[in-house]
Amino acid sequence: MTSNPRILFKKRPNAHELPVVGEHIVIDSSTTIDLDRVPLTGGFLTKTLILSPEPAMRERMRDPSVTSYTTTYKLGAPITGFGVVVVLRSEKEGVTVGDYMYGLTVWEAYTVQPYIDSRVNFKPEEWAPGTFDMDSLALQVVPNPNGNYSLTKYASILGTPGLTAFVGFEGIIKGKEGETIFVSSGASAVGSMVIQLAKLKGLKVIASAGSDTKVEYMRGLGTDFPFNYKKESYGSFLAKHGPINSFWDNVGGEALDAALEALLPLSCIAICGTSSTDILPPSEHYRLKNAHLIMKKRITIRGFIVPELIPQFIGKFFADIPALLVEGKLKSEEFVIDGIENGPKTFIDMLKSGHEVAGKLVIVVAKE
Amino acid sequence: MTSNPRILFKKRPNAHELPVVGEHIVIDSSTTIDLDRVPLTGGFLTKTLILSPEPAMRERMRDPSVTSYTTTYKLGAPITGFGVVVVLRSEKEGVTVGDYMYGLTVWEAYTVQPYIDSRVNFKPEEWAPGTFDMDSLALQVVPNPNGNYSLTKYASILGTPGLTAFVGFEGIIKGKEGETIFVSSGASAVGSMVIQLAKLKGLKVIASAGSDTKVEYMRGLGTDFPFNYKKESYGSFLAKHGPINSFWDNVGGEALDAALEALLPLSCIAICGTSSTDILPPSEHYRLKNAHLIMKKRITIRGFIVPELIPQFIGKFFADIPALLVEGKLKSEEFVIDGIENGPKTFIDMLKSGHEVAGKLVIVVAKE
């Protein structure tokens, strides 16, 4: 028998509260698995290699009565998220031992796929219209990088963050050479990809982050005007280096308000995240003063998550992005945390953006 | 010689200040015109029949350094706005004595067209990109209604307000049968048209206004749930009668904030006006607390003015709307003010929404 540690979702944190390790998410080291004999019942057995902590996981911890874009987690079951696994045994056609697979998987060391226990029994009529059944995402076989790039890239450029940046940039921003874009949280996995896609298209890029290390990271990605919003306000920096043709927003609040001032008429905003308010109670949310400018400047704003735009752009993503990565025209840094037992803390660090270092947080559960 | 009273733009009101009659806009009764002999130099002479006071006129009074969607007024010249004129003499091909024409004209009794004095010498490089040169709009010959409808309809359904509602509903809202729409300022010229277009398509309509008379007016247009926002808050009314699939916003502020709460995922907002904040200094603007919901609900917001969508929809507008009006399937009420000398006060009343009566304010300068 082999130890199979996992992360359980034990209690829903209150709205806008950070989850607490041991209270809301707990490490369960008591489970074991017989890798050679566990029944597969037509499925396949995977070993988890990397896990990617992402903001959507916090949305899934909310109470189901609160409307958001995704289904919630089941209490008592292991949490799920995007990751890369390798196939150890298979009874399923099209899935072969040794395959690497990317997609939604369970935060545990070994999993019989498709996983059932964590899965919401999704009935559309029980959810707000348009709620995305995250558990419907199946693992997909992905190329073996053969040493050309690290599997940790699947937690950044080659995974959901990179895909989110790609579909939003192609489908909403549609940036053209010579234009100026402002990217908030530019050192994040999504933000750093948006910066690079914009530079490849010949845009001028302004980008913000919360530490000087991150500012240098953004500069290294080609950002023309990176800044630390804790040292200079969004408003004053954009007044100096704007105006802007588009805004990629990962944070909301003051960044959004300042961008509305700096945006040109007929410009656009892609809202991909609201990290500045996600962990605050509504009474402490920054309140927008510039909403009237949406009309005065005829601005188009679109809040989105990646599934809506995937069908249109997934082909182009896999045609273009891995090659650009291998050629060194796209870069990313990941900040690696070893061991699934450090997963819960890493997830909370990601929510707090509390790490001073640049690079996407990624949990390496096992080496290949 | 005939008296030719006109309204002059004398001084720019401070930002967010209501203009004052006699200070910012003044009635000039000293001018005369020789209707038989005034040189036309290839143009034509018109007699003003009706004038339509509209919010965009206040935008044109701002200082040119403030970015907005339109060019500003020239100081010292007569103000301009949408209206209906009749042709008295013509040297221009395609324009015949007796023709009715609709479009941008001068707030005076008689005008040699095309008017020159009030016109901004538009150089795009001197304005924010996308600034609309309002003076570029030429008068267009329109059908003689032959008693089928009043010319005052050109200040409401058949004019810019009706066209604005039509292009926004067709191009942005795209409402479908069975959906629910919320319309703020539903008794306004634009709002009342949106309500009726929505009812024609089979939508459920919620609409707000600021007096009980207006609530009854909206009910008469077919509104399922009309309400007086001064008696019941936007938030509580929408909580009772929502959720909503789309929001047509003429006012901004609290209405917009409440709509964000009531909107369903993947819904949309057309922002056509911001009357709740237009006459307030920024420090007194209502500050939005629900901006984060744009992302959580994947909402699309579009601020717009009518010119952007005219090319796509103008044909359908003139094919459908006059016929629906004659058939009685579209209604509008206008509140008629006689005499150009009452124009400035009527314009300011419109800005204040201070009139308790329902119906679009329209100035009848002369009978046909």
Side-chain angles (χ1 to χ4, degrees):
Chain A
M1 298 295 277
T2 304
S3 168
N4 191 15
R6 54 187 194 160
I7 311 301
L8 293 176
F9 182 46
K10 195 172 163 195
K11 185 181 163 192
R12 300 192 188 282
N14 288 330
H16 312 291
E17 231 180 38
L18 281 174
V20 174
V21 182
E23 183 181 353
H24 305 102
I25 37 179
V26 299
I27 303 157
D28 171 16
S29 304
S30 66
T31 314
T32 57
I33 187 168
D34 183 339
L35 297 176
D36 297 322
R37 289 188 200 85
V38 61
L40 303 184
T41 57
F44 53 102
L45 175 67
T46 62
K47 176 183 178 185
T48 307
L49 300 177
I50 71 158
L51 291 171
S52 175
E54 295 176 10
M57 296 169 64
R58 176 62 185 85
E59 289 301 301
R60 303 197 70 194
M61 292 181 179
R62 77 188 191 284
D63 190 89
S65 67
V66 177
T67 297
S68 189
Y69 49 83
T70 174
T71 46
T72 54
Y73 282 142
K74 274 172 73 171
L75 276 176
I79 63 173
T80 58
F82 289 97
V84 178
V85 300
V86 62
V87 178
L88 300 186
R89 290 166 50 204
S90 176
E91 294 176 356
K92 190 178 161 70
E93 212 183 313
V95 176
T96 311
V97 172
D99 276 353
Y100 291 110
M101 300 184 87
Y102 171 74
L104 207 70
T105 192
V106 184
W107 277 41
E108 62 186 359
Y110 300 96
T111 307
V112 176
Q113 307 277 6
Y115 64 90
I116 301 291
D117 292 351
S118 295
R119 195 176 283 249
V120 166
N121 180 11
F122 184 67
K123 293 176 188 151
E125 67 276 13
E126 292 175 358
W127 299 84
T131 301
F132 183 65
D133 176 18
M134 194 80 84
D135 298 311
S136 68
L137 293 172
L139 286 165
Q140 304 286 336
V141 176
V142 291
N144 183 331
N146 286 318
N148 281 320
Y149 47 86
S150 159
L151 280 182
T152 59
K153 299 299 172 196
Y154 280 101
S156 57
I157 278 188
L158 294 181
T160 319
L163 187 57
T164 300
F166 186 81
V167 303
F169 190 80
E170 293 281 327
I172 301 173
I173 298 284
K174 298 171 187 161
K176 292 185 204 72
E177 186 172 350
E179 290 185 350
T180 300
I181 187 172
F182 167 45
V183 183
S184 65
S185 194
S188 65
V190 172
S192 61
M193 179 72 160
V194 175
I195 288 170
Q196 294 181 84
L197 293 172
K199 290 313 298 177
L200 284 172
K201 278 242 169 129
L203 279 77
K204 179 175 113 179
V205 177
I206 305 170
S208 61
S211 79
D212 290 347
T213 311
K214 291 178 182 175
V215 167
E216 287 317 306
Y217 178 57
M218 297 190 297
R219 197 186 308 280
L221 298 174
T223 306
D224 302 276
F225 298 100
F227 72 105
N228 181 344
Y229 71 88
K230 291 175 182 167
K231 292 192 170 172
E232 179 160 6
S233 77
Y234 290 106
S236 80
F237 198 85
L238 289 174
K240 265 186 273 179
H241 299 288
I244 58 180
N245 300 84
S246 58
F247 174 38
W248 181 289
D249 192 13
N250 292 309
V251 307
E254 201 174 338
L256 176 56
D257 223 6
L260 285 168
E261 289 234 21
L263 278 161
L264 289 162
L266 297 170
S267 53
C268 84
I269 304 177
I271 304 189
C272 172
T274 56
S275 62
S276 76
T277 55
D278 279 348
I279 58 170
L280 293 175
S283 62
E284 290 173 32
H285 281 192
Y286 178 90
R287 296 184 67 154
L288 220 59
K289 66 177 195 286
N290 286 324
H292 62 289
L293 296 178
I294 302 167
M295 190 261 147
K296 303 295 183 199
K297 296 185 180 179
R298 300 115 86 198
I299 294 169
T300 298
I301 304 180
R302 181 160 171 193
F304 79 105
I305 58 169
V306 67
E308 286 124 49
L309 291 159
I310 282 186
Q312 201 181 341
F313 295 107
I314 189 82
K316 191 166 159 52
F317 177 78
F318 281 113
D320 294 358
I321 301 305
L324 288 167
L325 181 66
V326 172
E327 291 167 27
K329 290 182 181 159
L330 283 176
K331 293 182 280 189
S332 74
E333 274 181 38
E334 297 88 44
F335 191 80
V336 170
I337 306 291
D338 279 310
I340 194 169
E341 67 281 9
N342 293 315
K345 182 181 176 309
T346 307
F347 170 64
I348 293 160
D349 281 350
M350 182 276 304
L351 290 179
K352 286 193 296 196
S353 298
H355 55 296
E356 288 293 302
V357 298
K360 169 67 168 61
L361 287 168
V362 49
I363 301 149
V364 172
V365 178
K367 302 288 178 194
E368 300 167 53
Chain B
M1 297 294 276
T2 304
S3 169
N4 191 15
R6 54 187 193 160
I7 311 301
L8 294 176
F9 182 48
K10 196 174 163 193
K11 185 181 164 191
R12 300 193 189 280
N14 288 332
H16 311 289
E17 230 179 39
L18 280 173
V20 174
V21 181
E23 183 181 352
H24 306 101
I25 38 178
V26 299
I27 303 156
D28 172 16
S29 305
S30 67
T31 313
T32 57
I33 187 169
D34 184 339
L35 296 176
D36 297 321
R37 289 189 200 85
V38 61
L40 303 185
T41 57
F44 53 101
L45 175 67
T46 61
K47 176 183 177 184
T48 306
L49 300 178
I50 71 158
L51 291 171
S52 176
E54 294 175 11
M57 297 169 66
R58 176 62 185 87
E59 288 301 302
R60 302 195 71 191
M61 293 182 178
R62 77 189 192 283
D63 189 89
S65 67
V66 176
T67 298
S68 189
Y69 50 83
T70 174
T71 47
T72 54
Y73 282 142
K74 274 172 73 170
L75 276 175
I79 64 174
T80 59
F82 289 96
V84 178
V85 301
V86 63
V87 178
L88 299 185
R89 290 167 50 204
S90 176
E91 292 176 358
K92 188 176 163 70
E93 213 181 312
V95 177
T96 311
V97 172
D99 275 353
Y100 291 111
M101 300 184 87
Y102 172 74
L104 207 71
T105 191
V106 184
W107 277 41
E108 62 186 357
Y110 301 96
T111 308
V112 177
Q113 307 276 8
Y115 63 89
I116 301 292
D117 292 350
S118 295
R119 194 175 283 248
V120 166
N121 179 12
F122 184 67
K123 294 175 187 152
E125 66 276 14
E126 292 175 358
W127 299 84
T131 301
F132 183 66
D133 176 18
M134 193 81 83
D135 297 312
S136 67
L137 293 172
L139 286 165
Q140 304 287 334
V141 176
V142 290
N144 183 331
N146 287 317
N148 281 320
Y149 49 85
S150 160
L151 280 182
T152 58
K153 299 299 172 196
Y154 281 101
S156 57
I157 278 188
L158 295 180
T160 320
L163 188 56
T164 300
F166 186 82
V167 303
F169 190 80
E170 293 281 328
I172 301 173
I173 298 285
K174 298 172 187 160
K176 292 184 205 71
E177 188 173 348
E179 290 186 350
T180 300
I181 187 172
F182 167 44
V183 183
S184 65
S185 194
S188 65
V190 172
S192 61
M193 178 71 159
V194 175
I195 288 171
Q196 294 181 85
L197 293 172
K199 289 314 298 177
L200 284 172
K201 279 241 169 129
L203 280 78
K204 180 176 112 181
V205 177
I206 305 170
S208 61
S211 80
D212 290 346
T213 311
K214 291 177 183 175
V215 168
E216 288 316 308
Y217 178 58
M218 296 191 296
R219 197 187 307 281
L221 298 174
T223 307
D224 303 275
F225 298 100
F227 71 104
N228 181 344
Y229 71 88
K230 291 176 182 166
K231 292 191 169 172
E232 178 160 8
S233 77
Y234 290 106
S236 80
F237 198 85
L238 289 174
K240 265 186 275 181
H241 299 288
I244 57 179
N245 301 84
S246 58
F247 174 38
W248 182 288
D249 192 13
N250 293 309
V251 308
E254 202 174 339
L256 176 56
D257 223 6
L260 285 168
E261 289 234 21
L263 279 160
L264 288 163
L266 298 169
S267 53
C268 84
I269 303 177
I271 304 190
C272 172
T274 56
S275 62
S276 76
T277 55
D278 278 350
I279 57 170
L280 294 175
S283 62
E284 291 173 32
H285 281 193
Y286 177 89
R287 295 183 67 153
L288 219 58
K289 66 177 194 288
N290 286 325
H292 62 291
L293 296 179
I294 301 168
M295 189 263 149
K296 302 296 183 198
K297 297 186 182 179
R298 300 114 86 197
I299 294 169
T300 298
I301 304 180
R302 181 160 171 193
F304 79 104
I305 58 169
V306 67
E308 286 123 49
L309 291 160
I310 282 186
Q312 202 182 340
F313 295 107
I314 188 82
K316 191 165 159 52
F317 177 79
F318 280 114
D320 295 358
I321 301 304
L324 289 168
L325 182 65
V326 172
E327 292 166 28
K329 290 182 181 159
L330 284 175
K331 293 184 280 189
S332 74
E333 275 181 37
E334 296 88 44
F335 192 81
V336 170
I337 306 291
D338 279 310
I340 193 169
E341 67 280 9
N342 294 315
K345 180 182 177 309
T346 306
F347 169 65
I348 293 160
D349 282 349
M350 182 274 307
L351 290 179
K352 285 192 296 196
S353 298
H355 54 299
E356 289 292 305
V357 297
K360 171 66 168 65
L361 288 168
V362 49
I363 301 150
V364 172
V365 179
K367 303 287 178 192
E368 300 168 50

